[in-house]
Amino acid sequence: MPPLRTALLQSSGRPGHVDENIEVLDEAARRAADSGARLLVCPELFLTGYAIGADVPRLAEPADGPSACAVAGIAARHGLAVLYGYPERAGEQIFNAAQLIGPDGAALANYRKTHLFGCFEQEWFTPGERTVVQAELDGVRVGIMICYDVEFPENVRSHALAGTDLLLVPTAQMHPFQFVAESVVPVRAFESQLYVAYVNRTGPEGEFEFVGLSCLAGPDGTVRTRAGRGEELVIGEVDPEFLRASRAANPYLNDRRPGLYGSLV
């Protein structure tokens, strides 16, 4: 099985301007497709911006809303899958969500952030209740979570046990927590034997300073590609054969003793 070439879009776009962010996504998709990528991953709440405060209700859309249709058109036009973050409206509730659109424009998976970070998120969003959300892309089992979710090892291990090969993590990682991008994410990939695509915002936005440092980490704990602190599109490869060999060589998952860990839950 050939590697899944994956593009990470490190950008904060234009907070509050959905149409302009869709244009940024379209251009990034063109560049990613030209590089041979089959998957483009965008940051947390990319379509609207993160620090939008009271505009969250105004900019929230259903999972099949007009922005989803626009992204579907981009994915189909460029022939690659797109994972994007957005505020999802479902009835009276709003979720911090991420949706995966396939290269044919079909919706493959929609995930709602389960662990909300800080007062801003807890004020405007309802936490999701489904931890493991997956889809198949070119023979790779793809899972989704958002930002703070990856900092809980139980979350990532749940994906590993469910067979996730590539974990997509759109994020809004801010100063002074850059050690998560630098150290925690590669460790998560190693200890649960999967690839992790961690894709961040960058620069100042409201009261926040996003640190960039997006990365694709492999199951051996090494970073395959790493962005700097500014706007950037970086490309890496998810190699199913390397993942299979790594899982065979690393005993973590086989050597677990779940009966000893009951007190954790």
Side-chain angles (χ1 to χ4, degrees):
M1 187 184 301
L4 176 64
R5 196 164 176 80
T6 301
L8 316 182
L9 173 60
Q10 180 167 287
S11 172
S12 289
R14 283 286 308 281
H17 298 271
V18 174
D19 289 346
E20 293 185 35
N21 292 331
I22 288 174
E23 291 179 5
V24 172
L25 194 157
D26 191 10
E27 173 60 18
R30 182 195 63 77
R31 292 166 55 203
D34 287 348
S35 78
R38 285 283 289 168
L39 171 63
L40 171 65
V41 186
C42 302
E44 181 176 5
L45 294 175
F46 178 73
L47 286 190
T48 60
Y50 183 89
I52 56 175
D55 278 341
V56 169
R58 178 177 67 84
L59 296 176
E61 297 183 19
D64 59 354
S67 292
C69 293
V71 176
I74 291 170
R77 184 162 60 254
H78 297 291
L80 81 172
V82 177
L83 186 283
Y84 67 97
Y86 74 109
E88 178 196 357
R89 180 178 294 282
E92 296 300 313
Q93 296 180 313
I94 300 175
F95 299 91
N96 184 337
Q99 182 156 219
L100 179 65
I101 304 293
D104 60 354
L108 298 181
N110 189 71
Y111 172 78
R112 296 165 172 174
K113 189 174 185 178
T114 55
H115 296 73
L116 300 179
F117 178 80
C119 297
F120 164 69
E121 292 188 19
Q122 293 168 11
E123 177 180 1
W124 292 108
F125 297 108
T126 298
E129 296 295 333
R130 186 178 173 193
T131 301
V132 177
V133 172
Q134 298 171 311
E136 296 290 326
L137 179 64
D138 292 356
V140 173
R141 185 170 295 180
V142 176
I144 308 168
M145 60 177 54
I146 299 173
C147 197
Y148 195 37
D149 291 331
V150 81
E151 297 177 39
F152 295 82
E154 303 92 336
N155 258 4
V156 182
R157 182 55 55 84
S158 294
H159 270 274
L161 296 176
T164 294
D165 300 316
L166 168 61
L167 185 59
L168 307 181
V169 189
T171 189
Q173 181 64 63
M174 57 197 69
H175 178 81
F177 306 111
Q178 50 265 32
F179 65 89
V180 174
E182 294 170 337
S183 301
V184 173
V185 168
V187 169
R188 289 286 176 272
F190 176 69
E191 69 190 6
S192 281
Q193 286 298 290
L194 39 67
Y195 284 88
V196 179
Y198 187 80
V199 186
N200 200 10
R201 306 179 69 82
T202 181
E205 189 177 331
E207 63 184 286
F208 308 110
E209 177 74 29
F210 298 114
V211 300
L213 300 176
S214 300
C215 67
L216 177 66
D220 55 353
T222 65
V223 171
R224 298 299 196 273
T225 188
R226 166 84 73 187
R229 296 298 185 104
E231 302 267 339
E232 196 169 349
L233 182 73
V234 296
I235 310 290
E237 292 193 342
V238 173
D239 186 344
E241 294 303 322
F242 182 85
L243 178 59
R244 188 174 297 111
S246 181
R247 286 172 170 171
N250 188 304
Y252 273 155
L253 299 182
N254 289 334
D255 288 353
R256 293 170 63 252
R257 297 181 61 191
L260 299 179
Y261 315 142
S263 61
L264 293 177
V265 295

